[in-house]
Amino acid sequence: MEMFLKRWKNKSDSINIADKIADLKKLPVPDHVAIIMDGNGRWAKKRALPRIAGHHEGMKVVKKITKLASNLGIKTLTVYAFSTENWKRPQLEVDYLMKLPEEFLGTFLPELIEENVKVQMIGQKEAIPKHTLNAVEKAIRDTSENTGMILNFALNYGSRAEIMLAMKEVFKDIKNGIIDENQLDEQLFSNYLMTDGLPEPDLLIRTSGEIRLSNFMLWQLAYTELWFTDVYWPDFSEEHLLQAVFDFQKRSRRYGGV
Ligand code: V07
């Protein structure tokens, strides 16, 4: 009996979600969604688990949300996996985090290829351990011909560092006569950012009740709709993403109506 109820519940849940996806697709969905996946440590603490248990649970949620985003027709999903500030965490926690890309891709890369997802990354590669970078770069190579959703990992990413690096490249190109300083405008400058080629996010989601940007995509978020929830990232469900997209469409209708 319990088994039957559980199966029935799951079935009705998924029908419900399929209906919601179909409904949301009747209106424009955001092309680019960016997510600050906060609250993994707090999720673990609440359950008296080690912080790494929260990170591991959070990684599983990335897989679930990637699949849904792809099904919704979102063209780019950027997820903030590791900030330049995160190096300050205890060494063992950093070591664990740096194994997550390998674990994620070890089980999920075949599915990403199957789903036609293209993996990319933004962030400074230099400080990332070789074993981590090798796994990420293999995923980027193996999916480079894919034409579906771009899954963009922000890994060792910080927005001010990104802007400073861009500025230095601009100076270098001006000095070497590759560009003229009179040519420099917002459009040309944005080509020097790590997000070159990607549209700016239409929707930013941040979990876990923090109402800040925390050095994430400062340039790119200038016109982005912001959506916050108190839910910890490991508790973020399909319903939450559907709600965020629904709210985004509601706002677009309000401002879009002439
Ligand atoms: C990380 C899980 C999600 C919550 C935030 C912190 C912990 C997926 C990746 C990943 C990164 C690159 C890649 C494939 C997967 C990841 C880190 C942390 C460092 F190519 N989740 N996740 N990387 N968390």
Side-chain angles (χ1 to χ4, degrees):
M1 184 56 176
E2 233 167 74
M3 177 69 160
F4 175 75
L5 281 174
K6 190 160 184 286
R7 278 169 60 193
W8 179 80
K9 184 176 182 297
N10 286 343
K11 202 168 174 209
S12 72
D13 278 358
S14 61
I15 288 170
N16 202 356
I17 286 186
D19 283 349
K20 285 182 183 168
I21 293 172
D23 269 358
L24 289 173
K25 285 178 128 177
K26 291 174 186 162
L27 288 170
V29 299
D31 280 333
H32 185 176
V33 176
I35 311 183
I36 303 176
M37 308 179 288
D38 208 358
N40 302 284
R42 269 169 283 177
W43 178 92
K45 187 172 184 181
K46 198 174 84 183
R47 287 165 174 73
L49 293 169
R51 290 174 59 81
I52 60 170
H55 297 318
H56 192 264
E57 203 60 27
M59 180 202 65
K60 295 199 281 183
V61 174
V62 178
K63 295 181 183 176
K64 192 170 71 182
I65 294 305
T66 296
K67 283 190 233 179
L68 175 56
S70 169
N71 289 337
L72 271 170
I74 289 168
K75 292 197 177 70
T76 305
L77 177 67
T78 296
V79 291
Y80 205 177
F82 195 91
S83 81
T84 49
E85 297 303 300
N86 287 159
W87 297 111
K88 294 178 189 152
R89 293 190 179 173
Q91 186 62 45
L92 285 174
E93 185 177 338
V94 170
D95 289 349
Y96 183 81
L97 285 166
M98 284 300 149
K99 287 181 193 144
L100 283 179
E102 288 149 282
E103 186 179 345
F104 180 98
L105 295 166
T107 55
F108 202 52
L109 183 55
E111 260 184 84
L112 291 175
I113 292 168
E114 175 73 27
E115 281 265 325
N116 197 22
V117 170
K118 182 173 178 164
V119 175
Q120 293 190 6
M121 106 163 232
I122 55 173
Q124 287 170 270
K125 292 183 173 175
E126 294 73 33
I128 298 172
K130 226 20 292 103
H131 66 93
T132 311
L133 197 57
N134 284 344
V136 177
E137 286 184 327
K138 181 183 184 296
I140 293 172
R141 274 198 311 277
D142 291 356
T143 62
S144 64
E145 306 284 298
N146 288 357
T147 55
M149 187 180 78
I150 293 171
L151 175 57
N152 183 34
F153 288 100
L155 202 56
N156 191 29
Y157 173 84
S159 185
R160 288 188 179 176
E162 173 193 38
I163 292 169
M164 289 304 300
L165 282 168
M167 198 188 297
K168 288 179 182 183
E169 282 303 308
V170 167
F171 277 132
K172 208 168 70 191
D173 282 357
I174 290 174
K175 202 179 68 186
N176 294 333
I178 292 165
I179 60 165
D180 186 278
E181 67 169 284
N182 297 315
Q183 265 180 282
L184 189 60
D185 57 11
E186 291 179 11
Q187 172 56 48
L188 183 60
F189 184 76
S190 71
N191 297 159
Y192 286 81
L193 296 171
M194 292 164 175
T195 48
D196 181 30
L198 296 177
E200 288 167 6
D202 304 291
L203 174 63
L204 172 80
I205 295 170
R206 182 167 188 163
T207 58
S208 196
E210 308 298 341
I211 317 294
R212 297 189 291 276
L213 295 183
S214 302
N215 202 22
F216 185 57
M217 297 182 100
L218 300 177
W219 175 282
Q220 297 87 341
L221 293 172
Y223 298 101
T224 303
E225 294 289 339
L226 310 178
W227 194 90
F228 299 98
T229 174
D230 288 340
V231 165
Y232 298 146
W233 177 251
D235 289 328
F236 192 86
S237 68
E238 278 127 335
E239 303 282 352
H240 292 111
L241 179 60
L242 296 171
Q243 185 66 50
V245 171
F246 181 82
D247 291 348
F248 171 85
Q249 291 180 334
K250 227 168 30 183
R251 294 187 204 174
S252 305
R253 270 206 303 280
R254 232 186 347 258
Y255 297 113
V258 183

PDB file of all heavy atoms in Angstrom, residues 216-228:
ATOM      1  N   PHE A 216      29.725  38.560  -7.852  1.00  0.00           N
ATOM      2  CA  PHE A 216      29.337  37.640  -8.927  1.00  0.00           C
ATOM      3  C   PHE A 216      28.812  38.427 -10.132  1.00  0.00           C
ATOM      4  O   PHE A 216      27.798  39.129 -10.034  1.00  0.00           O
ATOM      5  CB  PHE A 216      28.264  36.667  -8.420  1.00  0.00           C
ATOM      6  CG  PHE A 216      27.881  35.602  -9.418  1.00  0.00           C
ATOM      7  CD1 PHE A 216      28.834  34.746  -9.957  1.00  0.00           C
ATOM      8  CD2 PHE A 216      26.561  35.437  -9.802  1.00  0.00           C
ATOM      9  CE1 PHE A 216      28.482  33.760 -10.857  1.00  0.00           C
ATOM     10  CE2 PHE A 216      26.190  34.443 -10.698  1.00  0.00           C
ATOM     11  CZ  PHE A 216      27.152  33.606 -11.235  1.00  0.00           C
ATOM     12  N   MET A 217      29.479  38.359 -11.250  1.00  0.00           N
ATOM     13  CA  MET A 217      29.026  38.909 -12.535  1.00  0.00           C
ATOM     14  C   MET A 217      28.519  40.356 -12.424  1.00  0.00           C
ATOM     15  O   MET A 217      27.444  40.687 -12.939  1.00  0.00           O
ATOM     16  CB  MET A 217      27.927  38.000 -13.125  1.00  0.00           C
ATOM     17  CG  MET A 217      28.415  36.612 -13.434  1.00  0.00           C
ATOM     18  SD  MET A 217      27.139  35.549 -14.170  1.00  0.00           S
ATOM     19  CE  MET A 217      27.575  35.652 -15.907  1.00  0.00           C
ATOM     20  N   LEU A 218      29.277  41.207 -11.776  1.00  0.00           N
ATOM     21  CA  LEU A 218      28.816  42.574 -11.489  1.00  0.00           C
ATOM     22  C   LEU A 218      28.485  43.349 -12.764  1.00  0.00           C
ATOM     23  O   LEU A 218      27.469  44.043 -12.832  1.00  0.00           O
ATOM     24  CB  LEU A 218      29.885  43.318 -10.682  1.00  0.00           C
ATOM     25  CG  LEU A 218      30.227  42.688  -9.329  1.00  0.00           C
ATOM     26  CD1 LEU A 218      31.345  43.466  -8.652  1.00  0.00           C
ATOM     27  CD2 LEU A 218      28.993  42.634  -8.425  1.00  0.00           C
ATOM     28  N   TRP A 219      29.325  43.224 -13.763  1.00  0.00           N
ATOM     29  CA  TRP A 219      29.083  43.922 -15.036  1.00  0.00           C
ATOM     30  C   TRP A 219      27.855  43.346 -15.741  1.00  0.00           C
ATOM     31  O   TRP A 219      26.952  44.078 -16.175  1.00  0.00           O
ATOM     32  CB  TRP A 219      30.333  43.770 -15.940  1.00  0.00           C
ATOM     33  CG  TRP A 219      30.177  44.328 -17.315  1.00  0.00           C
ATOM     34  CD1 TRP A 219      29.513  43.754 -18.361  1.00  0.00           C
ATOM     35  CD2 TRP A 219      30.675  45.577 -17.794  1.00  0.00           C
ATOM     36  NE1 TRP A 219      29.568  44.549 -19.453  1.00  0.00           N
ATOM     37  CE2 TRP A 219      30.279  45.684 -19.141  1.00  0.00           C
ATOM     38  CE3 TRP A 219      31.429  46.620 -17.228  1.00  0.00           C
ATOM     39  CZ2 TRP A 219      30.608  46.776 -19.932  1.00  0.00           C
ATOM     40  CZ3 TRP A 219      31.756  47.700 -18.014  1.00  0.00           C
ATOM     41  CH2 TRP A 219      31.336  47.779 -19.346  1.00  0.00           C
ATOM     42  N   GLN A 220      27.800  42.010 -15.764  1.00  0.00           N
ATOM     43  CA  GLN A 220      26.787  41.317 -16.565  1.00  0.00           C
ATOM     44  C   GLN A 220      25.388  41.416 -15.953  1.00  0.00           C
ATOM     45  O   GLN A 220      24.392  41.211 -16.644  1.00  0.00           O
ATOM     46  CB  GLN A 220      27.176  39.837 -16.711  1.00  0.00           C
ATOM     47  CG  GLN A 220      28.474  39.585 -17.459  1.00  0.00           C
ATOM     48  CD  GLN A 220      29.717  39.612 -16.560  1.00  0.00           C
ATOM     49  OE1 GLN A 220      29.704  40.145 -15.453  1.00  0.00           O
ATOM     50  NE2 GLN A 220      30.803  39.040 -17.065  1.00  0.00           N
ATOM     51  N   LEU A 221      25.300  41.692 -14.657  1.00  0.00           N
ATOM     52  CA  LEU A 221      23.999  41.695 -13.970  1.00  0.00           C
ATOM     53  C   LEU A 221      23.339  43.077 -13.943  1.00  0.00           C
ATOM     54  O   LEU A 221      22.312  43.261 -13.278  1.00  0.00           O
ATOM     55  CB  LEU A 221      24.154  41.176 -12.528  1.00  0.00           C
ATOM     56  CG  LEU A 221      24.540  39.695 -12.390  1.00  0.00           C
ATOM     57  CD1 LEU A 221      24.859  39.352 -10.927  1.00  0.00           C
ATOM     58  CD2 LEU A 221      23.428  38.776 -12.899  1.00  0.00           C
ATOM     59  N   ALA A 222      23.895  44.026 -14.692  1.00  0.00           N
ATOM     60  CA  ALA A 222      23.413  45.417 -14.628  1.00  0.00           C
ATOM     61  C   ALA A 222      21.894  45.530 -14.802  1.00  0.00           C
ATOM     62  O   ALA A 222      21.256  46.341 -14.143  1.00  0.00           O
ATOM     63  CB  ALA A 222      24.145  46.270 -15.661  1.00  0.00           C
ATOM     64  N   TYR A 223      21.316  44.726 -15.706  1.00  0.00           N
ATOM     65  CA  TYR A 223      19.869  44.839 -16.001  1.00  0.00           C
ATOM     66  C   TYR A 223      19.089  43.578 -15.640  1.00  0.00           C
ATOM     67  O   TYR A 223      17.931  43.420 -16.047  1.00  0.00           O
ATOM     68  CB  TYR A 223      19.677  45.163 -17.491  1.00  0.00           C
ATOM     69  CG  TYR A 223      20.292  46.482 -17.882  1.00  0.00           C
ATOM     70  CD1 TYR A 223      21.525  46.537 -18.521  1.00  0.00           C
ATOM     71  CD2 TYR A 223      19.646  47.680 -17.565  1.00  0.00           C
ATOM     72  CE1 TYR A 223      22.117  47.755 -18.851  1.00  0.00           C
ATOM     73  CE2 TYR A 223      20.221  48.891 -17.881  1.00  0.00           C
ATOM     74  CZ  TYR A 223      21.453  48.925 -18.531  1.00  0.00           C
ATOM     75  OH  TYR A 223      22.019  50.129 -18.844  1.00  0.00           O
ATOM     76  N   THR A 224      19.717  42.677 -14.901  1.00  0.00           N
ATOM     77  CA  THR A 224      19.142  41.358 -14.628  1.00  0.00           C
ATOM     78  C   THR A 224      18.056  41.411 -13.551  1.00  0.00           C
ATOM     79  O   THR A 224      18.191  42.147 -12.575  1.00  0.00           O
ATOM     80  CB  THR A 224      20.286  40.405 -14.193  1.00  0.00           C
ATOM     81  OG1 THR A 224      21.269  40.379 -15.228  1.00  0.00           O
ATOM     82  CG2 THR A 224      19.786  39.009 -13.919  1.00  0.00           C
ATOM     83  N   GLU A 225      16.993  40.637 -13.744  1.00  0.00           N
ATOM     84  CA  GLU A 225      15.977  40.457 -12.698  1.00  0.00           C
ATOM     85  C   GLU A 225      16.570  39.580 -11.594  1.00  0.00           C
ATOM     86  O   GLU A 225      17.187  38.545 -11.883  1.00  0.00           O
ATOM     87  CB  GLU A 225      14.730  39.755 -13.271  1.00  0.00           C
ATOM     88  CG  GLU A 225      13.970  40.563 -14.291  1.00  0.00           C
ATOM     89  CD  GLU A 225      13.229  41.749 -13.673  1.00  0.00           C
ATOM     90  OE1 GLU A 225      12.972  41.746 -12.456  1.00  0.00           O
ATOM     91  OE2 GLU A 225      12.906  42.681 -14.428  1.00  0.00           O
ATOM     92  N   LEU A 226      16.371  39.988 -10.340  1.00  0.00           N
ATOM     93  CA  LEU A 226      16.959  39.249  -9.214  1.00  0.00           C
ATOM     94  C   LEU A 226      15.859  38.499  -8.471  1.00  0.00           C
ATOM     95  O   LEU A 226      14.784  39.050  -8.227  1.00  0.00           O
ATOM     96  CB  LEU A 226      17.678  40.224  -8.274  1.00  0.00           C
ATOM     97  CG  LEU A 226      18.656  41.216  -8.937  1.00  0.00           C
ATOM     98  CD1 LEU A 226      19.249  42.145  -7.884  1.00  0.00           C
ATOM     99  CD2 LEU A 226      19.770  40.478  -9.679  1.00  0.00           C
ATOM    100  N   TRP A 227      16.121  37.258  -8.123  1.00  0.00           N
ATOM    101  CA  TRP A 227      15.122  36.406  -7.437  1.00  0.00           C
ATOM    102  C   TRP A 227      15.791  35.702  -6.264  1.00  0.00           C
ATOM    103  O   TRP A 227      16.766  34.984  -6.447  1.00  0.00           O
ATOM    104  CB  TRP A 227      14.557  35.391  -8.422  1.00  0.00           C
ATOM    105  CG  TRP A 227      13.315  34.669  -7.978  1.00  0.00           C
ATOM    106  CD1 TRP A 227      12.019  35.058  -8.194  1.00  0.00           C
ATOM    107  CD2 TRP A 227      13.234  33.415  -7.281  1.00  0.00           C
ATOM    108  NE1 TRP A 227      11.150  34.132  -7.667  1.00  0.00           N
ATOM    109  CE2 TRP A 227      11.854  33.120  -7.100  1.00  0.00           C
ATOM    110  CE3 TRP A 227      14.184  32.508  -6.782  1.00  0.00           C
ATOM    111  CZ2 TRP A 227      11.408  31.964  -6.466  1.00  0.00           C
ATOM    112  CZ3 TRP A 227      13.741  31.362  -6.131  1.00  0.00           C
ATOM    113  CH2 TRP A 227      12.362  31.096  -5.991  1.00  0.00           C
ATOM    114  N   PHE A 228      15.268  35.976  -5.073  1.00  0.00           N
ATOM    115  CA  PHE A 228      15.884  35.420  -3.859  1.00  0.00           C
ATOM    116  C   PHE A 228      14.922  34.473  -3.155  1.00  0.00           C
ATOM    117  O   PHE A 228      13.708  34.673  -3.174  1.00  0.00           O
ATOM    118  CB  PHE A 228      16.253  36.555  -2.897  1.00  0.00           C
ATOM    119  CG  PHE A 228      17.248  37.539  -3.481  1.00  0.00           C
ATOM    120  CD1 PHE A 228      16.823  38.746  -4.037  1.00  0.00           C
ATOM    121  CD2 PHE A 228      18.601  37.248  -3.479  1.00  0.00           C
ATOM    122  CE1 PHE A 228      17.735  39.641  -4.582  1.00  0.00           C
ATOM    123  CE2 PHE A 228      19.530  38.142  -4.018  1.00  0.00           C
ATOM    124  CZ  PHE A 228      19.083  39.343  -4.572  1.00  0.00           C
TER     125      PHE A 228
END
